[in-house]
Amino acid sequence: MFKRKPTDGVREVQDRLKEPDVFITEYLNSSSRFFAIVKQRYSDFQVNEIDLDGQVVHLTSLEEDIPNEKEEPITADLVIDDVDATETPVAELEYPLDSEEKWRQLSLLLKRNKKEDSIRMIVTNVSKSDRTLIHKSVEDRYQGKLITSTVTEGELKYIVIGTNKNVDRRNICSWPKNLPQYVHFVLYKENTDTINAVRSICKSSRVSQNCLTYAGTKDRRGVTTQRICAKRLTAKRLSSLRFPRLWLGNFEYKERQLNLGDLNGNRFLMALRQVESKEDDLETTLLSLKEKGFINYYGLQRFGSYSAAPTYEIGRCLICQQWKEAIDLILKPRPDELQMDIQKACKVWSETKDANRAVKYINRDFSTEATVLRTLAQQGNTAYVNALQKAPRNVLLLYLHSFQSLIWNRIVSRRINEFGLKVLPGDLVFTTSSSISASGDADEDLIVDTEEGSRMKVVRAVSEEEASTVSVYDVVYPLPGYSIKYPDNATANWYKEIMSEYGVSSFDGKNKMFAVSGDYRKMLVLPENISWNIVHYDNPNADLIATDLQKLKNQNTVENLESGSYKAVILQFDLPSSTYATMAIRELTKDDTSSSHQATLSVDHLQNKKAKLSE
């Protein structure tokens, strides 16, 4: 297999992760390549989600097309207007929540809206599943306006219920009659990731992040369009929000919530700039991608940006129950990646391990780092597990699955290097396309989706007799986990060796919050609906592809000259969810896809081009 050699004369950023760091080393085709700059501008990379009906999601309308909303309120779930705010709530309630009077006492908490108010319920002999029902019942009825927690005092166990001070109780005390409680809308974003975009929407709406759901995450470096679902937030209210790099539109009320995995993939449209190749060679290379595809590596964006604190190392610490080490990595200062106040707070923590001093630098922020530091400040500098459990679940999953992804990349690179592309007896293939269970998974730069909505499938081992007839494009390799079947050949031992090297014996840790079941992923991928065309331009920073927003506002400024100083390939294709477009581009250019490396290429190439023109 062809392997990329380091590019001479290219300045490397020493603290950034590079492809070999995460075992991205192999190529399918060594016969063709061409030079191009990837992501010179973030608008050069556009992603549009493909929904379950096979429709490509586009932003086609904004606030002018808001659905009609009936004004008559319905308050069956949450009634607080009839509660007297001067009344003092009781200190304790008996289990269970089985009377209107008990619910009235909780409504009184909300009506009074005082930080010091709380009600306790003794649940010492109540099972965990029944306690969970209490938590869920309160959350569902009060839509996150009241929060619950389980505490232990001596031999007694309580559920404590109090007011959530981070949300506005006025927002959802009523809901329009006969209006579905879910509004689906299109989120168009530029150069920001889905998690931060959702956080911004929730912060402006003053609701919990649990109120918004999505089918998959899209990364920061690009222009992306996807569906979002909000519970009990009106389209009118959402459309009134304004953000620097986010636009919300195409509002539609539905009875059904949008869940992780509710998508069929993503359509990619990208401009590869400053291409250097003969027309015939260029066509040959692009045809090779169409016919042979690429190795389905997890891209660099899966693993974070900095080599000093990669997400996979945090995941390894969580799996190995190395809580202090995980906290220190999460709170490691990361220049150019964290907001200034969080950067200062993390620096103080790294130097002093004093959370109380660190949180003084944090403003109104709900990032993972801020949440962890606040918990440590409240519960003690060594309350590592509690601090981790307060972190957003999707972020913890990202850490865990990043480590799984590292092992997957390493296994597949070794497998292709040693055995090539032939199917081995004992390799795994799916037995059916129907799913038997849903496993959670979570996922920057040229992203597609995380695997949060991926579904476990039944696999079987290929027999020796059928190895010559099975397509290599059907072969899957496991992301290691406690419910995974491993290949029936030498690669199974590789998993054991590698996990032992990282100090991991199993993935079903004592703390179930950090256990991972595993999944299966195809070794190779063929892009679908692939097409391309070549354009020429003179301005190095000219728009080469129009965005949904530009089309909507009739601001199409795309440059395409009959002749020009520069040449670009406009490439479009569809990929399944959780598949990285950067790995497809890597197969074309045979070059490192990291944003730091591409940035240096762009600067060096432009300087060389100007020097040649001036000669």
Side-chain angles (χ1 to χ4, degrees), residues 5-12 597 600-601 603-605 607-608:
K5 296 180 180 179
T7 304
D8 294 334
V10 174
R11 299 184 302 274
E12 296 287 357
H597 177 70
T600 59
L601 286 184
V603 172
D604 290 347
H605 191 68
Q607 290 176 346
N608 293 337

Side-chain angles (χ1 to χ4, degrees), residues 241-394:
L241 303 177
R242 295 292 181 269
F243 305 97
R245 296 186 297 274
L246 310 178
W247 285 262
L248 281 56
N250 296 80
F251 299 96
E252 183 179 4
Y253 285 96
K254 294 187 178 183
E255 297 288 352
R256 181 181 178 276
Q257 188 176 32
L258 181 66
N259 296 310
L260 290 168
D262 287 347
L263 76 167
N264 273 333
N266 297 277
R267 174 158 294 177
F268 296 87
L269 176 62
M270 60 191 71
L272 308 181
R273 293 180 184 255
Q274 303 179 40
V275 170
E276 291 185 359
S277 177
K278 295 179 180 179
E279 298 290 328
D280 291 345
D281 294 340
L282 194 58
E283 191 76 11
T284 299
T285 303
L286 290 163
L287 281 172
S288 176
L289 176 64
K290 179 178 181 179
E291 296 169 356
K292 296 182 179 179
F294 58 97
I295 303 171
N296 196 19
Y297 283 125
Y298 287 97
L300 280 169
Q301 55 269 36
R302 181 77 161 184
F303 305 101
S305 301
Y306 287 89
S307 58
T311 54
Y312 65 79
E313 181 60 21
I314 299 174
R316 187 200 67 79
C317 289
L318 295 178
I319 292 169
C320 293
Q321 302 181 47
Q322 296 173 353
W323 314 125
K324 179 182 182 300
E325 291 81 354
I327 289 289
D328 285 342
L329 286 169
I330 291 171
L331 299 180
K332 199 173 188 67
R334 301 187 296 280
D336 304 323
E337 188 174 295
L338 299 174
Q339 292 184 14
M340 186 61 68
D341 60 331
I342 301 298
Q343 178 72 11
K344 290 179 179 178
C346 288
K347 187 174 186 296
V348 170
W349 170 264
S350 67
E351 293 173 350
T352 68
K353 296 297 185 288
D354 188 337
N356 282 297
R357 289 179 60 182
V359 295
K360 293 179 180 179
Y361 291 91
I362 299 176
N363 299 314
R364 187 174 175 82
D365 192 282
F366 297 97
S367 67
T368 301
E369 292 80 8
T371 300
V372 167
L373 279 171
R374 287 194 187 101
T375 305
L376 291 173
Q378 293 168 359
Q379 302 186 24
N381 290 324
T382 59
Y384 305 126
V385 176
N386 289 351
L388 289 167
Q389 290 177 331
K390 289 289 185 180
R393 175 63 176 163
N394 60 333

